[in-house]
Amino acid sequence: MWPAVSATVTPAEAAVTARRVWRLAEPVHAVTYFAPEARAAYEEAGLRGYWRGYFAGRAAPLGPVGPEPVVAAFFGFAPGMVARALPGVWALAPPERALEARRLGAGAALRRLLAGREAAVAEAVDLLRPVTGGLDIAGRVLAAANLALPSPGDPVDALWHQATLLREHRGDGHVAALVAAGLDGCEALVLRTGIDLPRTELQPHRGWTDEQWDAAAARLAARGLLGTDGAATAAGREAHGALEEATDRAAGRPWEAMAPEAVEHLVTLLSTVARACAGALPYPNPMGVPAP
């Protein structure tokens, strides 16, 4: 039995844990976007075309919403791209059906990818349960909506649900950091392409036109964050680093109660799981998920 609780973990240490776990839990969540089983489940539900499944599956915890709340919560997508999917997808598959397709597709993908690792999955679920069950959700819309869903009893389904809670919780905090830094959805993507991701991995997958993209680049350049060559300046890299640090801090609170020994064991378990899930993901990818 691993010690589960510690009162000696500092916020800075918890922020480091949040980043370590994110790198390992994100590939688990990401199978819902890239694995063939996930795409097939959405198509079976009537959601043909990649983006119908994406927007329906990820937005379904919010209910049958229109585009505006999703533009706000997802942050990086062009409003026009979101409006092409919502609310129309709900006529094809209401949120309850989309959620079921999401669960079935992710579960089928993980059962294939994690075959032979059932013991690690079950143990990771047990360690994550008190963390994800007690997430602070004030100001975190997507985390709150997913936390309101029933927690699956099956360990594989539960692991995907926990990974999703952690990534949406972190994402909500990241959006808050971007807003506080005075960046809009397109500017955040342009800045990232100036650092480590190609434009081809972000612009077409988020729906921004060349005119919108170039205007965002001009705004960043006027703030001294982007050079004329499209690369981030020293100030731009510093701003990006500050955003990541703020995101880690915002994601750290749930980890302040977990003992360091339990954290290390969880990281060991998730490392095995993440390496198996990584085979379903392209690198680089529009999510910015690093290879585990």
Side-chain angles (χ1 to χ4, degrees), residues 14 27 42 76 162 178 224 282:
Y42 285 131
Q162 291 169 339
L178 289 165

Side-chain angles (χ1 to χ4, degrees), residues 28-33 35 37-39 41-42 100-114 156-157 160-161 164:
V28 178
H29 168 79
V31 300
T32 194
Y33 307 125
E37 294 91 340
R39 296 191 186 190
Y42 285 131
E100 180 66 3
R102 183 176 83 157
R103 182 187 67 81
L104 290 173
L110 289 178
R111 287 181 182 86
R112 170 176 59 85
L113 294 164
L114 301 179
V156 171
D157 290 344
W160 188 84
H161 179 64
T164 299

Side-chain angles (χ1 to χ4, degrees), residues 181-202:
L183 294 174
D184 65 28
C186 192
E187 291 166 356
L189 298 176
V190 174
L191 180 60
R192 183 66 187 269
T193 62
I195 295 173
D196 63 354
L197 284 178
R199 178 173 175 173
T200 53
E201 283 296 325
L202 291 181

Side-chain angles (χ1 to χ4, degrees), residues 55-111:
F55 283 111
R58 193 174 174 209
L62 299 171
V65 294
E68 293 83 2
V70 173
V71 170
F74 289 15
F75 191 77
F77 285 88
M81 184 177 184
V82 181
R84 286 193 292 272
L86 297 170
V89 294
W90 307 131
L92 302 173
E96 296 80 7
R97 182 72 181 95
L99 285 171
E100 180 66 3
R102 183 176 83 157
R103 182 187 67 81
L104 290 173
L110 289 178
R111 287 181 182 86

